[in-house]
Amino acid sequence: MNTKLKGRDFLSTNDWTLEELEQVLDLSFKFKQERALRVPHDHILRGRELFMIFKDKSTRTRNSTETAMIQLGGHATYLPAEATQMSHGDTAKEIGIIFSRYGDGIAIRDDIYLGVGQKYMEDVAKWADVPVINLESDWDHPMQMLADIMTIKEKFNNDIKGRKFVISWAYAKSHAKPPAVPQGLIMMMPRFGLNVTLAMPKEFVLSPKAMEIAERNAKEAGVKFEVVNDMDEAFKDADIVYPKSWGAYYYAENNFDEMKKIADKYKDWIADERRMKLAKKNAIYMHCLPADRGAEVTNEVIDGPQSVIYDEAENRLHTVKAVLALTIR
Ligand code: CP
């Protein structure tokens, strides 16, 4: 086990080397196999405490992280921001220092406003003596990224280099989903040797910095990173399709009414059976969930044989267990 990760923050996959990410994945696979065999893990973080601050809702992230701490022998405290004194003045410095004195790790979800969440996490991490883990910001969703790459490795028996990975914008009635997942995917997937295609209508541009990192990572890995404005073109010959909605944050600059108007122009951006037929025969359909059925994806696709959404959601548990086991002292 790589003890160099002890005490480290995990605010973006960019902060960890490929070797470190692979080590987390190796441990995730081991935890998954051992859980199936009912091997206990409750000696690993016995008596440790993780504070989980949520400034937004969650099904998978909250429950996989809380369950991970319990399975590792520790405890997690769920802290919706409104149940704390943050709105009455508790600063990032105070949260970082005080929770470090009480416990052993801090995990934060803060993903609603562009330019806010990642900065908040970095501010907490500056003052915390314990690892700070990003549970989704406006910039990245590193825990989702690990579950996604674990799922891809699993489905293709680790034969993933050179495969075509498509992250495509898709229409959803809730038009303001954070850009963390598509940004995280374009930045990380090239590092694992995948050729990445980003598809979106022109208004759904992502952070220029994320695009720059994606291009650089693809160049360094010797793979392709391309951008297209046509969902059909993107799906052609794909091995992995990941169609999901995100808000036109960068185009409309946090103007939520404008973002809705823009999204409503593209209701035909849906993952349906016709589009799935454009991809390779053994292509997989991924989604981090929650998905907007009937808008982002049809029931036939999300419930169909190519969908891997339940394995993907399950892998959130094994990957977060590995990150917590490797980082918390
Ligand atoms: N995929 C994901 O982060 O799900 P939740 O929003 O339910 O945590």
Side-chain angles (χ1 to χ4, degrees):
M1 194 173 284
N2 179 1
T3 50
K4 285 194 192 123
L5 289 171
K6 286 281 173 212
R8 289 269 297 277
D9 300 322
F10 190 43
L11 298 184
S12 169
T13 61
N14 297 321
D15 303 337
W16 288 15
T17 64
L18 185 59
E19 189 188 348
E20 288 165 343
L21 297 175
E22 292 279 18
Q23 279 166 349
V24 173
L25 293 168
D26 287 348
L27 184 59
S28 306
F29 281 112
K30 180 171 148 60
F31 277 160
K32 185 169 187 173
Q33 192 175 49
E34 289 181 350
R35 179 163 162 71
L37 298 171
R38 293 282 169 223
V39 175
H41 298 136
D42 57 2
H43 58 290
I44 297 173
L45 292 181
R46 189 164 297 154
R48 307 299 201 284
E49 170 68 32
L50 177 73
F51 293 103
M52 305 188 301
I53 300 166
F54 276 81
K55 298 192 185 181
D56 196 2
K57 295 183 278 296
S58 168
T59 302
R60 283 143 291 270
T61 305
R62 181 231 166 138
N63 291 294
S64 59
T65 309
E66 194 165 328
T67 305
M69 280 306 288
I70 292 163
Q71 289 183 10
L72 293 166
H75 178 265
T77 300
Y78 173 58
L79 289 164
E82 63 274 16
T84 71
Q85 297 284 22
M86 282 180 214
S87 64
H88 293 149
D90 276 342
T91 62
K93 177 179 178 179
E94 287 154 6
I95 292 293
I97 294 175
I98 293 168
F99 283 165
S100 295
R101 296 201 184 178
Y102 293 164
D104 307 284
I106 303 169
I108 305 171
R109 166 165 286 193
D110 188 348
D111 60 353
I112 297 176
Y113 300 103
L114 209 60
V116 175
Q118 189 74 18
K119 182 171 181 323
Y120 178 75
M121 293 177 200
E122 286 167 6
D123 287 348
V124 173
K126 194 171 126 193
W127 295 101
D129 296 329
V130 296
V132 177
I133 313 283
N134 176 355
L135 297 182
E136 191 170 10
S137 68
D138 54 311
W139 168 245
D140 198 354
H141 192 353
M143 296 311 315
Q144 183 66 51
M145 296 307 107
L146 289 176
D148 291 344
I149 189 66
M150 180 180 181
T151 309
I152 294 168
K153 280 173 174 267
E154 215 166 43
K155 295 300 164 191
F156 292 102
N157 202 17
N158 216 16
D159 173 20
I160 65 169
K161 290 215 184 324
R163 291 196 183 267
K164 181 176 176 182
F165 175 90
V166 176
I167 167 67
S168 173
W169 184 85
Y171 175 72
K173 293 179 281 298
S174 51
H175 57 280
K177 292 179 192 288
V181 168
Q183 288 179 178
L185 291 171
I186 62 165
M187 291 190 288
M188 189 195 76
M189 290 305 178
R191 299 175 71 195
F192 284 90
L194 293 163
N195 290 308
V196 173
T197 299
L198 167 66
M200 82 265 174
K202 62 183 188 323
E203 296 93 336
F204 291 88
V205 281
L206 297 172
S207 146
K209 190 174 154 200
M211 296 293 285
E212 199 183 298
I213 293 172
E215 273 160 29
R216 190 172 63 232
N217 287 348
K219 199 168 167 194
E220 281 174 15
V223 295
K224 268 204 304 205
F225 171 55
E226 63 168 1
V227 183
V228 299
N229 301 122
D230 182 322
M231 201 173 184
D232 283 3
E233 185 187 338
F235 270 51
K236 268 181 208 145
D237 297 322
D239 294 287
I240 303 131
V241 293
Y242 200 131
K244 87 168 291 298
S245 177
W246 63 86
Y249 282 91
Y250 287 91
Y251 187 86
E253 295 176 341
N254 280 340
N255 179 335
F256 287 78
D257 291 338
E258 178 70 11
M259 279 156 61
K260 177 160 172 46
K261 269 190 219 150
I262 295 168
D264 283 345
K265 291 197 295 183
Y266 299 106
K267 290 186 177 170
D268 58 335
W269 281 61
I270 183 169
D272 57 14
E273 285 181 305
R274 182 190 66 77
R275 285 200 166 106
M276 286 305 293
K277 286 198 180 90
L278 299 172
K280 285 192 183 145
K281 230 180 167 158
N282 66 344
I284 58 170
Y285 164 86
M286 300 184 77
H287 197 297
C288 55
L289 303 178
D292 191 342
R293 285 167 179 256
E296 284 181 293
V297 59
T298 62
N299 285 334
E300 290 72 24
V301 170
I302 197 166
D303 295 326
Q306 289 166 287
S307 173
V308 298
I309 56 164
Y310 296 112
D311 294 320
E312 189 180 358
E314 178 190 334
N315 288 338
R316 294 294 309 271
L317 172 67
H318 310 301
T319 45
V320 73
K321 266 176 87 173
V323 168
L324 294 171
L326 289 166
T327 57
I328 290 180
R329 290 185 201 276

